[in-house]
Amino acid sequence: MRMKATGLPETAANWEALAQKALNGERLSVEEGLAVLEADNDEVLPLLQAVFRVRKHFYGKKVKLNMIINAKSGLCPEDCGYCAQSVVSAAPIAKYPLLEKSTLLAGAREAMARQAGTYCIVASGKGPTDKELDQVVEAVKEIRATMPLKICACLGLLKDHQAERLAEAGVHRYNHNLNTSRANYPSITTTHTYDQRVESVEKVKRCGLSPCSGVIIGMGETNREIVEMAYALRELDADSIPVNFLNAIPGTPLEKAGRTPAIKALKVLALFRLICPSKEIRIAGGREVNLRTLQPLGLYAANSLFVGDYLTTKGQEAAVDYQMIEDLGFEIEACAL
């Protein structure tokens, strides 16, 4: 194996150079991003070692925990091919209108019990009605007054006054995922556009909400498109980036999509850390199904997890996540505020 002057194998030295570039605030080239995704599987450990330098610089060994409550399930007019709550889905899921304030408050208490610093209130649909927004605002105000939780809302496309009301109520962060690349978007959904999602993120930023936006890997995108997705989120300056891996749900249009190989998922997480070095990179939906036994290695690139269940799919037991974090020598961030 060829050796650099540093004494490192040439490939390891290349990963270290990319990590240093990220630490310097320099943007990786498309070719460098592709090199990460297309690296030989034997290179994944030296790649993660280099990427861990970046993760550790910004976040040390702390892991942020987030918990989702599915505040409104199903009943969605959108045709997103990955989603069990979509109008085109035949998946047998629970369907209900927006939860009462008392239930949203109980969810916040459960987030505290699970050591989650961020509580994510997620509702299906194209966007909330003003009445639904009233319910969320009232719950948020009480949560903020009684619990040390960061609150993230994910309610779909917002009107300007709705974004302002959420900010005034004390919501810290708003999630609206880009999900896939601009080129791949029409194959995933047709009832709204990629540009609408971008504008939604820009709108919440203008209202003072911290932008949260991420992707779903495994929906037919190319490696180059994955790099483009990471660049798009860098340009949006998303503070929090959930990296989902498709969990192909029976009854959805993408039910026959295969899983992302665990080793490929690690390369994706490494890529997002290198392109968005200072941002919260969260291993999100589908991690148990796609990363499987390699989940712990993902935290050498990512610094955040969802704990508990997702929207319509189960997560692993919280105790398993706690043990994983402890075994790595990492620690749970005590408070996200």
Side-chain angles (χ1 to χ4, degrees), residues 157 176 178 182 185 192-202:
L157 299 172
H176 203 61
L178 297 185
R182 180 183 294 277
Y185 207 84
H192 57 270
T193 67
Y194 180 90
D195 285 330
Q196 282 179 291
R197 286 189 172 262
V198 171
E199 172 53 26
S200 183
V201 177
E202 295 289 4

PDB file of all heavy atoms in Angstrom, residues 157 176 178 182 185 192-202:
ATOM      1  N   LEU A 157     -46.894  22.701   4.712  1.00  0.00           N
ATOM      2  CA  LEU A 157     -46.695  24.047   4.170  1.00  0.00           C
ATOM      3  C   LEU A 157     -47.431  25.069   5.031  1.00  0.00           C
ATOM      4  O   LEU A 157     -48.603  24.882   5.351  1.00  0.00           O
ATOM      5  CB  LEU A 157     -47.209  24.116   2.730  1.00  0.00           C
ATOM      6  CG  LEU A 157     -46.525  23.171   1.725  1.00  0.00           C
ATOM      7  CD1 LEU A 157     -47.277  23.198   0.390  1.00  0.00           C
ATOM      8  CD2 LEU A 157     -45.069  23.563   1.522  1.00  0.00           C
ATOM      9  N   HIS A 176     -39.211  20.752   7.594  1.00  0.00           N
ATOM     10  CA  HIS A 176     -39.843  20.510   6.300  1.00  0.00           C
ATOM     11  C   HIS A 176     -38.754  19.916   5.406  1.00  0.00           C
ATOM     12  O   HIS A 176     -37.872  20.626   4.937  1.00  0.00           O
ATOM     13  CB  HIS A 176     -40.411  21.802   5.710  1.00  0.00           C
ATOM     14  CG  HIS A 176     -41.499  21.565   4.707  1.00  0.00           C
ATOM     15  ND1 HIS A 176     -42.680  20.937   5.018  1.00  0.00           N
ATOM     16  CD2 HIS A 176     -41.580  21.866   3.400  1.00  0.00           C
ATOM     17  CE1 HIS A 176     -43.454  20.870   3.945  1.00  0.00           C
ATOM     18  NE2 HIS A 176     -42.798  21.416   2.936  1.00  0.00           N
ATOM     19  N   LEU A 178     -36.612  18.288   2.366  1.00  0.00           N
ATOM     20  CA  LEU A 178     -36.558  18.284   0.898  1.00  0.00           C
ATOM     21  C   LEU A 178     -36.830  16.881   0.371  1.00  0.00           C
ATOM     22  O   LEU A 178     -37.326  16.719  -0.742  1.00  0.00           O
ATOM     23  CB  LEU A 178     -35.181  18.761   0.415  1.00  0.00           C
ATOM     24  CG  LEU A 178     -34.789  20.199   0.760  1.00  0.00           C
ATOM     25  CD1 LEU A 178     -33.460  20.543   0.093  1.00  0.00           C
ATOM     26  CD2 LEU A 178     -35.871  21.177   0.342  1.00  0.00           C
ATOM     27  N   ARG A 182     -33.930  17.538  -6.658  1.00  0.00           N
ATOM     28  CA  ARG A 182     -34.853  18.252  -7.540  1.00  0.00           C
ATOM     29  C   ARG A 182     -35.246  17.373  -8.738  1.00  0.00           C
ATOM     30  O   ARG A 182     -36.414  17.285  -9.108  1.00  0.00           O
ATOM     31  CB  ARG A 182     -34.209  19.555  -8.026  1.00  0.00           C
ATOM     32  CG  ARG A 182     -35.102  20.373  -8.957  1.00  0.00           C
ATOM     33  CD  ARG A 182     -34.386  21.611  -9.460  1.00  0.00           C
ATOM     34  NE  ARG A 182     -34.105  22.558  -8.401  1.00  0.00           N
ATOM     35  CZ  ARG A 182     -34.971  23.444  -7.933  1.00  0.00           C
ATOM     36  NH1 ARG A 182     -36.203  23.501  -8.441  1.00  0.00           N
ATOM     37  NH2 ARG A 182     -34.633  24.283  -6.979  1.00  0.00           N
ATOM     38  N   TYR A 185     -37.603  14.499  -7.771  1.00  0.00           N
ATOM     39  CA  TYR A 185     -38.818  14.865  -7.036  1.00  0.00           C
ATOM     40  C   TYR A 185     -40.120  14.462  -7.731  1.00  0.00           C
ATOM     41  O   TYR A 185     -41.017  13.893  -7.083  1.00  0.00           O
ATOM     42  CB  TYR A 185     -38.822  16.368  -6.720  1.00  0.00           C
ATOM     43  CG  TYR A 185     -39.632  16.675  -5.492  1.00  0.00           C
ATOM     44  CD1 TYR A 185     -39.061  16.554  -4.231  1.00  0.00           C
ATOM     45  CD2 TYR A 185     -40.971  17.030  -5.572  1.00  0.00           C
ATOM     46  CE1 TYR A 185     -39.797  16.779  -3.092  1.00  0.00           C
ATOM     47  CE2 TYR A 185     -41.713  17.265  -4.442  1.00  0.00           C
ATOM     48  CZ  TYR A 185     -41.117  17.133  -3.198  1.00  0.00           C
ATOM     49  OH  TYR A 185     -41.854  17.338  -2.074  1.00  0.00           O
ATOM     50  N   HIS A 192     -47.264  18.547  -4.815  1.00  0.00           N
ATOM     51  CA  HIS A 192     -46.561  19.787  -4.508  1.00  0.00           C
ATOM     52  C   HIS A 192     -45.172  19.681  -5.110  1.00  0.00           C
ATOM     53  O   HIS A 192     -44.766  18.610  -5.569  1.00  0.00           O
ATOM     54  CB  HIS A 192     -46.508  20.054  -2.993  1.00  0.00           C
ATOM     55  CG  HIS A 192     -45.871  18.956  -2.200  1.00  0.00           C
ATOM     56  ND1 HIS A 192     -46.571  17.912  -1.673  1.00  0.00           N
ATOM     57  CD2 HIS A 192     -44.570  18.735  -1.876  1.00  0.00           C
ATOM     58  CE1 HIS A 192     -45.756  17.086  -1.041  1.00  0.00           C
ATOM     59  NE2 HIS A 192     -44.532  17.565  -1.154  1.00  0.00           N
ATOM     60  N   THR A 193     -44.445  20.777  -5.131  1.00  0.00           N
ATOM     61  CA  THR A 193     -43.179  20.812  -5.853  1.00  0.00           C
ATOM     62  C   THR A 193     -41.983  20.905  -4.909  1.00  0.00           C
ATOM     63  O   THR A 193     -42.107  21.279  -3.733  1.00  0.00           O
ATOM     64  CB  THR A 193     -43.130  22.017  -6.805  1.00  0.00           C
ATOM     65  OG1 THR A 193     -43.099  23.230  -6.020  1.00  0.00           O
ATOM     66  CG2 THR A 193     -44.338  22.029  -7.733  1.00  0.00           C
ATOM     67  N   TYR A 194     -40.843  20.613  -5.459  1.00  0.00           N
ATOM     68  CA  TYR A 194     -39.570  20.775  -4.746  1.00  0.00           C
ATOM     69  C   TYR A 194     -39.399  22.232  -4.321  1.00  0.00           C
ATOM     70  O   TYR A 194     -39.012  22.521  -3.182  1.00  0.00           O
ATOM     71  CB  TYR A 194     -38.439  20.340  -5.673  1.00  0.00           C
ATOM     72  CG  TYR A 194     -37.046  20.446  -5.088  1.00  0.00           C
ATOM     73  CD1 TYR A 194     -36.477  19.375  -4.404  1.00  0.00           C
ATOM     74  CD2 TYR A 194     -36.281  21.608  -5.260  1.00  0.00           C
ATOM     75  CE1 TYR A 194     -35.191  19.459  -3.887  1.00  0.00           C
ATOM     76  CE2 TYR A 194     -35.001  21.701  -4.745  1.00  0.00           C
ATOM     77  CZ  TYR A 194     -34.459  20.627  -4.062  1.00  0.00           C
ATOM     78  OH  TYR A 194     -33.188  20.710  -3.561  1.00  0.00           O
ATOM     79  N   ASP A 195     -39.731  23.152  -5.220  1.00  0.00           N
ATOM     80  CA  ASP A 195     -39.561  24.573  -4.912  1.00  0.00           C
ATOM     81  C   ASP A 195     -40.470  25.023  -3.766  1.00  0.00           C
ATOM     82  O   ASP A 195     -40.097  25.917  -2.995  1.00  0.00           O
ATOM     83  CB  ASP A 195     -39.831  25.432  -6.148  1.00  0.00           C
ATOM     84  CG  ASP A 195     -38.681  25.364  -7.155  1.00  0.00           C
ATOM     85  OD1 ASP A 195     -37.530  25.180  -6.728  1.00  0.00           O
ATOM     86  OD2 ASP A 195     -38.942  25.476  -8.371  1.00  0.00           O
ATOM     87  N   GLN A 196     -41.654  24.428  -3.662  1.00  0.00           N
ATOM     88  CA  GLN A 196     -42.534  24.760  -2.535  1.00  0.00           C
ATOM     89  C   GLN A 196     -41.890  24.365  -1.209  1.00  0.00           C
ATOM     90  O   GLN A 196     -42.022  25.065  -0.207  1.00  0.00           O
ATOM     91  CB  GLN A 196     -43.892  24.061  -2.689  1.00  0.00           C
ATOM     92  CG  GLN A 196     -44.827  24.733  -3.678  1.00  0.00           C
ATOM     93  CD  GLN A 196     -46.141  23.982  -3.789  1.00  0.00           C
ATOM     94  OE1 GLN A 196     -46.195  22.864  -4.300  1.00  0.00           O
ATOM     95  NE2 GLN A 196     -47.205  24.594  -3.307  1.00  0.00           N
ATOM     96  N   ARG A 197     -41.200  23.246  -1.219  1.00  0.00           N
ATOM     97  CA  ARG A 197     -40.527  22.815   0.006  1.00  0.00           C
ATOM     98  C   ARG A 197     -39.369  23.751   0.357  1.00  0.00           C
ATOM     99  O   ARG A 197     -39.180  24.123   1.514  1.00  0.00           O
ATOM    100  CB  ARG A 197     -40.045  21.361  -0.125  1.00  0.00           C
ATOM    101  CG  ARG A 197     -41.197  20.370  -0.026  1.00  0.00           C
ATOM    102  CD  ARG A 197     -40.734  18.932   0.068  1.00  0.00           C
ATOM    103  NE  ARG A 197     -41.871  18.057   0.357  1.00  0.00           N
ATOM    104  CZ  ARG A 197     -42.189  17.611   1.567  1.00  0.00           C
ATOM    105  NH1 ARG A 197     -41.459  17.948   2.605  1.00  0.00           N
ATOM    106  NH2 ARG A 197     -43.239  16.829   1.737  1.00  0.00           N
ATOM    107  N   VAL A 198     -38.601  24.137  -0.648  1.00  0.00           N
ATOM    108  CA  VAL A 198     -37.509  25.082  -0.409  1.00  0.00           C
ATOM    109  C   VAL A 198     -38.051  26.399   0.142  1.00  0.00           C
ATOM    110  O   VAL A 198     -37.533  26.940   1.132  1.00  0.00           O
ATOM    111  CB  VAL A 198     -36.711  25.329  -1.706  1.00  0.00           C
ATOM    112  CG1 VAL A 198     -35.726  26.480  -1.521  1.00  0.00           C
ATOM    113  CG2 VAL A 198     -35.982  24.062  -2.137  1.00  0.00           C
ATOM    114  N   GLU A 199     -39.104  26.913  -0.456  1.00  0.00           N
ATOM    115  CA  GLU A 199     -39.693  28.168  -0.010  1.00  0.00           C
ATOM    116  C   GLU A 199     -40.248  28.048   1.404  1.00  0.00           C
ATOM    117  O   GLU A 199     -40.183  29.003   2.198  1.00  0.00           O
ATOM    118  CB  GLU A 199     -40.792  28.619  -0.974  1.00  0.00           C
ATOM    119  CG  GLU A 199     -41.606  29.824  -0.505  1.00  0.00           C
ATOM    120  CD  GLU A 199     -40.762  31.039  -0.121  1.00  0.00           C
ATOM    121  OE1 GLU A 199     -39.631  31.201  -0.636  1.00  0.00           O
ATOM    122  OE2 GLU A 199     -41.242  31.826   0.726  1.00  0.00           O
ATOM    123  N   SER A 200     -40.781  26.874   1.749  1.00  0.00           N
ATOM    124  CA  SER A 200     -41.296  26.666   3.102  1.00  0.00           C
ATOM    125  C   SER A 200     -40.176  26.794   4.130  1.00  0.00           C
ATOM    126  O   SER A 200     -40.350  27.415   5.192  1.00  0.00           O
ATOM    127  CB  SER A 200     -41.954  25.286   3.201  1.00  0.00           C
ATOM    128  OG  SER A 200     -42.511  25.096   4.472  1.00  0.00           O
ATOM    129  N   VAL A 201     -39.017  26.233   3.821  1.00  0.00           N
ATOM    130  CA  VAL A 201     -37.874  26.344   4.738  1.00  0.00           C
ATOM    131  C   VAL A 201     -37.418  27.798   4.836  1.00  0.00           C
ATOM    132  O   VAL A 201     -37.135  28.310   5.933  1.00  0.00           O
ATOM    133  CB  VAL A 201     -36.716  25.437   4.279  1.00  0.00           C
ATOM    134  CG1 VAL A 201     -35.502  25.610   5.195  1.00  0.00           C
ATOM    135  CG2 VAL A 201     -37.145  23.968   4.268  1.00  0.00           C
ATOM    136  N   GLU A 202     -37.352  28.482   3.703  1.00  0.00           N
ATOM    137  CA  GLU A 202     -36.944  29.891   3.724  1.00  0.00           C
ATOM    138  C   GLU A 202     -37.935  30.737   4.527  1.00  0.00           C
ATOM    139  O   GLU A 202     -37.546  31.678   5.229  1.00  0.00           O
ATOM    140  CB  GLU A 202     -36.839  30.428   2.291  1.00  0.00           C
ATOM    141  CG  GLU A 202     -35.739  29.778   1.456  1.00  0.00           C
ATOM    142  CD  GLU A 202     -34.335  30.180   1.896  1.00  0.00           C
ATOM    143  OE1 GLU A 202     -34.192  30.906   2.900  1.00  0.00           O
ATOM    144  OE2 GLU A 202     -33.378  29.740   1.237  1.00  0.00           O
TER     145      GLU A 202
END
